């Protein structure tokens, strides 16, 4: 071996830096630690040396170590805890990171940090098999034929009036949302809209979230340095009595189909929540209606916004889930007091979506393709949903099965006192990836029974059957 | 007259609300005040009644007045000064707002708040006449032919690796920027990238800006609640001696062709600036290289980033100016310490640009179309630039002419003690719109001579000649 070999006595790290390897120093440090985690030499929860310590120890710059740690954090191997340092993550927690890190191609069939897995019940993935590529191309072509300098100019800050009118009509018809096109802001994805909303709400906002919740929204509020209160849920959703005990002014909720619990909030709880919001000036509810398009049982409940008569609800939705992730178009419906603030404080922010993309989407909806596609996908997802529910019939004695009215995933709650790690580990060993609820809990709660999340959006019917058969062997 | 008539004794406002008019109350209030400003009944600098007062007075809700004021602020008729209230803007200041407000169509040929004007020397506008629409369409078509679910999936957070590699090569070749593709973040416009940069730099950053400066960047820093120090400039650009007297950690600068002064920062001043940044941990320079593609005289100076050996420069550029405003693709090159922070704190933010759009742009550059288009536009803009300079020859006794090395506008500094208002007013009356420097000064400076900005990007050669001829009549 060449280069300097370093053994850290206090830590199970023995690192070799090889200057002649062609890899940069930070890539070597990154690769070494990643490997230690993958092979189990560094275990979940273990603390890493501070970046400063490691830099001095290895005689490299602080930035080099920061880069390596940063890469590992962004890929989900490490987590940074403020004022505490870096810790090895639960590797199953990686589901929240949807993409391989830049520059690092994922080998086909092999997921990051895991042995080969053939059945991935991801709750994030969607089925693109039936996407009408030809229609999309045709619309694009037609639009470009007539395109002129107007189409290539910068559009209105809030989004093109035509598309806002179309979205307004769609939301009213399908979700009961009451709004005018002028209340709609179109933006390049929900993450961007939440950043913009921060600028509208201001710097000092205390946010409440359901626990468990959508991890990225939590991360965004964290990166906005908002204090976040995590509110427990019961079978009807967020507990408004607990919400009342916090200082929160804004609550981020998913009433139609909570992610990841799958709970649909009944009307009584909705009214309680709206009452809370109306009680004090400046309280708002952010309704993330991320997958309301897919509902399989009973009459779809309208949005929370539809029941709001006081202008306390900010409604957010996206076309990424219902059409394709590449469609970077989301929308936010602002109540008038916030719309006024938007215009005063943020009206100058340029639109983040090109006019061309807005025009394509508008035609896709206006010409009826969106509705047809939604109906087709609803049927597809319902078939998979029913199939999965059917295949899970033998599981009912060992698990409670819930969240089955809507969305693209189900929840299995263990009745036999086993742990999520244990169950997910057994599945893993059998070649099946399931997702653990604890990775969506942003705070430890009282000892809860193990809950596993099974998404079926992207799996074929065959894969669903085969995957469940494997789970049956190891879990029942 | 029907409805209630209201006269405000202290203010020159006599407002009628007509409930039966079909217009909402807020539209009526908006329309009334706008008209008062347009017709000169409300004059620049006049303070409006507080929203609360007006709401009580008119017996409408506070939100209704907020909406009306918000609309007027977003269209540039009013400005909101923190803790002071609403004031009538200088209507010529409207140039910074590029689009009509949502839902309000601009009548053709008539600009907002102004009588008909035939010659608009806007420094923002660009010439789209030579844009290769056919090529763009062809590339789009070809890409969509091969498009599959991969193209419609969510891309890498930082932007597609291929496009980042292409941009990296382009920036190195044309601007001397030293970076790796992994340092590049692609985002939907500069505004978005500045929001993301805020999340990387953190909440408590003191920013320094050149004065005068790019108004939207100033507004964005304001909306981030950053304290902003405005630094005076001399003929070599930002005065580093003055910068040193502030608490600023970050300075936002445009070294290649300062907007709007047109100053190109010489190498000596650049070195001073880099020295300032290197002196203390955590200091950064944000280099906005917004129109560096267009340079007409002498060897183009490389970017400031090219001279930075300490990793203190964040380089920002955009394709909106060089290709088309509709191309919502900008890029930011992060030095490694900030890249590490980005990955740790912001790596989860989804990309705001679709893979399809990134792929189209990548082909446009890779296949040489971008270079060809740039060369063509450089020639066009140089022709207009030379023509304008030539036409302005008779102006030399009355004005100093500067900013003529690069970019898309010139500066005329009055030698005869006239005011900007006076000169712009005379031009206005003759049907020519020129832009006043004071609207780009974010803080009053010592009595400066009047400076007028003449942009020529979007005007035809004929229009330039005719416009200057009209100016000659009123100014000389």
């Amino acid at each position: 071996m060449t280069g300097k070999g370093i053994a850290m006595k206090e830590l199970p790290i023995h690192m070799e830096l090889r200057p002649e390897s062609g890899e940069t120093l930070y890539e070597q440090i990154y690769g070494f630690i990643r490997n230690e985690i993958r092979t189990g030499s560094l275990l979940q929860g273990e603390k890493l040396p501070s970046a400063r310590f490691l830099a001095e120890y290895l005689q490299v710059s602080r930035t080099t170590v920061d880069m390596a740690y940063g890469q590992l954090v962004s890929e989900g191997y490490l987590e940074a805890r403020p004022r505490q340092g870096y810790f090895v993550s639960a590797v199953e927690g990686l589901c929240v990171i949807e993409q391989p890190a830049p520059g690092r191609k994922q080998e086909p069939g092999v997921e990051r940090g895991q042995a080969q897995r053939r059945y991935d019940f991801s709750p994030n993935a969607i089925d693109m098999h039936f996407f009408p590529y030809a229609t999309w191309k045709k619309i694009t072509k037609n639009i470009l034929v007539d395109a002129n300098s107007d189409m290539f100019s910068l559009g209105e800050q809030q989004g093109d009036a035509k598309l806002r009118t179309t979205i307004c009509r769609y939301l009213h018809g399908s979700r009961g949302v009451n709004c005018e096109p002028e209340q709609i802001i179109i933006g390049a994805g929900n993450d961007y809209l939440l950043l913009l909303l921060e600028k509208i709400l201001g710097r000092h906002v205390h946010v409440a979230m359901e626990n468990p919740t959508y991890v990225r929204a939590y991360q965004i509020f964290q990166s906005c340095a908002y204090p976040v209160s995590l509110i427990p849920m019961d079978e009807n959703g967020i507990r408004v009595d607990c919400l009342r005990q916090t200082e929160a002014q804004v609550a981020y909720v998913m009433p139609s189909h909570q992610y990841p619990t799958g709970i649909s909030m009944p009307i009584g709880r909705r009214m309680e929540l709206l009452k809370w919001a109306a009680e004090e000036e400046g309280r708002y509810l952010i309704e993330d209606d991320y997958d309301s398009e897919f509902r399989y049982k009973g009459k779809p409940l309208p949005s929370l916004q539809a029941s709001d008569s006081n202008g306390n609800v900010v409604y957010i939705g996206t076309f990424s889930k219902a059409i394709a992730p590449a469609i970077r178009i989301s929308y936010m419906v602002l109540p008038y007091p916030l719309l006024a603030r938007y215009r005063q404080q943020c009206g100058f922010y340029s639109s983040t979506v090109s006019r061309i993309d807005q025009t394509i989407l508008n035609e896709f909806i206006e010409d009826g393709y969106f509705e047809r596609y939604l109906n087709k996908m609803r049927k597809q997802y319902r078939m998979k949903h029913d199939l999965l529910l059917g295949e899970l019939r033998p599981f009912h004695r060992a698990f409670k099965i819930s969240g089955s009215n809507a969305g693209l995933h189900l929840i299995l709650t263990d009745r036999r006192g086993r742990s999520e790690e244990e169950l997910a580990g057994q599945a893993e060993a059998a070649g099946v990836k399931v997702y653990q609820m604890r990775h969506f809990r942003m705070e430890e709660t009282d000892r809860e029974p193990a809950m596993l999340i099974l998404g079926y959006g992207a799996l074929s019917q065959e894969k669903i059957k085969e995957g469940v058969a494997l789970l049956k062997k190891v879990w029942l």
Side-chain angles (χ1 to χ4, degrees), chain A residues 280-347:
Chain A
E280 263 185 46
E281 179 91 21
R283 280 190 181 163
Y284 291 101
L285 299 165
I286 303 173
E287 175 177 24
D288 185 350
D289 210 20
Y290 70 103
D291 75 348
S292 58
E293 286 86 2
F294 304 117
R295 202 178 164 85
Y296 316 115
K297 219 167 82 182
K299 209 174 132 239
L301 220 50
S303 66
L304 181 66
Q305 202 267 8
S307 309
D308 171 34
S309 49
N310 295 297
N312 292 124
V313 174
V314 176
Y315 180 91
I316 294 184
T318 178
F319 291 102
S320 301
K321 204 109 187 166
I323 302 184
I327 313 302
R328 305 306 299 146
I329 306 185
S330 294
Y331 45 88
M332 169 161 82
V333 181
L334 292 176
Y336 277 101
L338 292 185
L339 181 60
R341 270 202 244 166
Y342 161 78
R343 293 204 175 153
Q344 286 165 27
Q345 297 163 16
C346 309

Side-chain angles (χ1 to χ4, degrees), chain A residues 403-448:
Chain A
S404 65
N405 297 331
L408 303 177
H409 66 272
L410 296 177
I411 311 286
L412 272 65
T413 307
D414 179 60
R415 301 187 200 264
R416 295 181 180 167
R418 292 174 287 184
S419 74
E420 291 179 6
E421 293 90 321
E422 189 187 344
L423 289 162
Q426 290 168 342
E428 182 74 30
V432 182
K433 173 118 180 103
V434 298
Y435 292 77
Q436 301 177 47
M437 184 63 82
R438 65 196 177 94
H439 295 135
F440 298 87
R441 291 193 214 280
M442 299 299 108
E443 215 170 64
E444 288 296 317
T445 48
D446 297 339
R447 180 92 188 101
E448 300 259 4

Side-chain angles (χ1 to χ4, degrees), chain A residues 223-364:
Chain A
S223 92
C224 294
Y226 280 166
V228 176
S229 291
L230 295 160
I231 313 293
M233 305 177 71
D234 60 20
E235 70 281 8
N236 292 329
I238 191 167
R239 281 183 53 188
V240 180
D241 57 329
C242 298
L243 174 61
R244 285 185 186 285
Q245 287 162 31
T246 70
E247 299 287 306
Q249 301 137 268
V250 169
Y252 172 93
V253 290
M254 294 167 273
S256 297
H257 187 241
Q258 206 270 345
Y259 190 82
T261 63
I263 294 171
S264 290
M265 197 185 288
I267 189 72
R269 185 61 56 87
R270 290 175 184 226
M271 287 302 153
E272 260 187 82
L273 202 53
L274 287 168
K275 187 163 169 280
W276 170 84
E279 271 165 15
E280 263 185 46
E281 179 91 21
R283 280 190 181 163
Y284 291 101
L285 299 165
I286 303 173
E287 175 177 24
D288 185 350
D289 210 20
Y290 70 103
D291 75 348
S292 58
E293 286 86 2
F294 304 117
R295 202 178 164 85
Y296 316 115
K297 219 167 82 182
K299 209 174 132 239
L301 220 50
S303 66
L304 181 66
Q305 202 267 8
S307 309
D308 171 34
S309 49
N310 295 297
N312 292 124
V313 174
V314 176
Y315 180 91
I316 294 184
T318 178
F319 291 102
S320 301
K321 204 109 187 166
I323 302 184
I327 313 302
R328 305 306 299 146
I329 306 185
S330 294
Y331 45 88
M332 169 161 82
V333 181
L334 292 176
Y336 277 101
L338 292 185
L339 181 60
R341 270 202 244 166
Y342 161 78
R343 293 204 175 153
Q344 286 165 27
Q345 297 163 16
C346 309
F348 54 84
Y349 281 102
S350 310
S351 170
T352 44
V353 188
S354 79
R355 298 200 67 189
I356 299 169
D357 292 352
Q358 293 185 59
T359 311
I360 296 169
L361 177 59
N362 189 58
E363 302 256 316
F364 189 73

Side-chain angles (χ1 to χ4, degrees), chain A residues 48-102:
Chain A
L48 269 87
S50 76
R52 200 163 72 159
F53 177 85
L54 189 58
E56 277 175 23
Y57 208 84
L58 295 174
Q59 293 289 303
V60 298
S61 83
R62 171 69 193 271
T63 296
T64 301
V65 178
D66 276 344
M67 279 295 298
Y69 279 12
Q71 180 81 23
L72 289 160
V73 168
S74 82
E75 293 186 11
Y77 290 101
L78 296 184
E79 57 186 75
R81 298 185 197 154
R83 282 179 302 279
Q84 292 184 58
Y86 292 91
F87 295 82
V88 178
S89 306
V91 193
E92 300 92 323
L94 292 179
C95 59
V96 295
I97 296 156
E98 291 162 12
Q99 291 298 322

Side-chain angles (χ1 to χ4, degrees), chain A residues 158-175:
Chain A
Q158 283 191 227
D160 278 8
K162 250 178 153 176
L163 179 58
R164 284 187 286 115
T165 305
T166 302
I167 290 175
C168 191
R169 208 178 306 131
Y170 164 67
L171 289 181
H172 187 75
S174 75
R175 308 291 305 130

